[in-house]
Amino acid sequence: MKINILPGCVFAASMLLTTSCSDFLTEDPKGQLTVETLYKSKADLDLAINSLYQNIQGFQCNSNTMIVQCMGDDVTSTTGSNKAAYLAADAFEAPSDLKGVNDLWNWYYKIIKASNYVLDCAKYLKVDKSEVSEQLGQAYFWRAYAYYGLVRTWGPVPLSPEEVLSVDVDNIKDDIPCATVEEVYNYIVKDLKAAEDCNLPEKYPNGSKHIGDANVYVSAQAVKSTLASVYMSMAGYPLKKSDYYALAADKAKEVVDAVNARGIQSLLPNWNSVYSYGNDNHNECILGIYYNANTGSWGTDDSQLTCCHVPASLPWGGWGDFLAERYFWSKYPEGPRKDAVYAKTLLYKSENKQTKEIKYANVDWWATMDGEAYKTWMGKNDKDEDVEKTNAVFSDYRPMFTGFSVNANEQGQPLKIDFDCTKPIYAGMTLGKRHQLIRYAEVLCWFAEASARSGKYISEAKTALKKVRSRAYSDQAIVDAIDAMSNDQLAEAAYNEHRYEVAGNVLGMVTCREDAFRLGRLDKIFNYRVGDQKDILVPKGTLTHSVNAKGEPFTYELKEDLVLKEKMEVTGVWKKEESMYQIYPPTEVEKNPNLKR
């Protein structure tokens, strides 16, 4: 099943939907289709919806649009290679490589324009709203979603004029001013309420709109969940309208109540299945992006993220776009969730050159080949080139997130199973794996935090958070501790549980970066990285599984505490908004000088 439609069919619907914000405001319509020739029937509206979802697939088909998430404390990136943009975000610096800011900006505005196109089509057809409510709901939602991403990444941004049809741009000026952050948020809320008024179904019929146990199209609970998240953002930085936490609690409660009454969503019983390729279309996912089966085409309908979490030093040669920060890993609570979010061990591969026999060994990420303290030095490789050498088994020397990872069979083909870190990893560059933007576990955390900060639904909020903890921890005492929490403690616990739930999932709607941004805590991440970083990552005496230089397994106990700075150095001073937001794409600033804060 393919969501996108054939190129020949999509041409008319997409020819106007591939421009950036400034292009949208300034393009020359000569030679393009007009409303008189373009909008004729509901079939044209369906083409517009297909084009919208094609843009949504393109938005996350590769990792460029997620580079900003390296500002969170959960992910960093490999040094060197083509990772300058990732490392700049990790260090809270303006990038010299602009692929992150350019792609994210352009794709958000492509989604906005595609959404406008749907709304224009429905408006021009002049049909009763009830006949096209499903299509309208998709367009209102995704336009709001795009602006929600824009305002948290750049702050003030231009809003597209609603009174002008997407194909009628003769009178649009180059100098559209930026709306204020509050104006953008009000626009987002208006669109989400409009989507809510469309009465979208909680579950679509099986087919192109519902696959397995998951909706492909936006559902009623996806709209309500997003509204809850938006209200929480309005309660936090920079608007700081704390009364919006009550609205967030109300809206999240609507989702929780619907789940309790009708089972429209559920929590998976085992955390290891959350990112499972074997259970890809599960009912915990409230909002996701569906990608087609692996074609190797590097097109926008394939997900190109299977190698993004895998360090380059593993035998399968990952890209290392989003590597795990060691400090966050060290503070992450032990339990089934940690064992699923991070690979418990890394798989070492050795091959006998004479017999071609391949052997594997499970190795701890902090293991060294000689059992001595970790060290690096400069040396020569076989080509007499200066390279950094190390006694570490894996030179990246850090844990690995498993959210994008898939196992492979002996032929290297992807396996439809829960990921197992003791088995080989699929090394293909593309895969039809769903991207999960919102899960029900997140809504439970949002409900608990918003309720605690507003003083509403405290008993229900504690019940919600206990459901999240019950699956994440083996120790029942950690779950039961919620009962005795004050409202402040409950809010902080829910905030942290959400961060643990989404750690490493840089493609989610609310990431660790977005959580820290909302509560004005990005400076704490910066200050830690600028500081000494003397926290113990792995304590002395820890039993360690390793291999020697011949690939033979052995175990040893750490002789000293492992204390190690992140490889990407962060320097300078915190510059508030300048450090928190991304720079506007320079080419867009040239077109529209109003792009400034």
Side-chain angles (χ1 to χ4, degrees), residues 133-144:
S133 59
E134 187 176 290
Q135 293 94 329
L136 291 174
Q138 309 303 304
Y140 283 126
F141 175 85
W142 286 112
R143 186 167 69 178

Side-chain angles (χ1 to χ4, degrees), residues 349-361:
K349 177 182 177 182
S350 60
E351 182 176 359
N352 187 305
K353 293 182 179 180
Q354 281 73 41
T355 65
K356 303 299 181 182
E357 181 186 10
I358 295 176
K359 291 184 178 180
Y360 294 98

Side-chain angles (χ1 to χ4, degrees), residues 499-520:
R499 284 160 47 76
Y500 300 143
E501 284 287 321
V502 301
N505 187 32
V506 293
L507 44 77
M509 186 180 75
V510 182
T511 60
C512 284
R513 184 264 179 191
E514 309 301 355
D515 271 336
F517 178 90
R518 170 173 60 87
L519 290 188

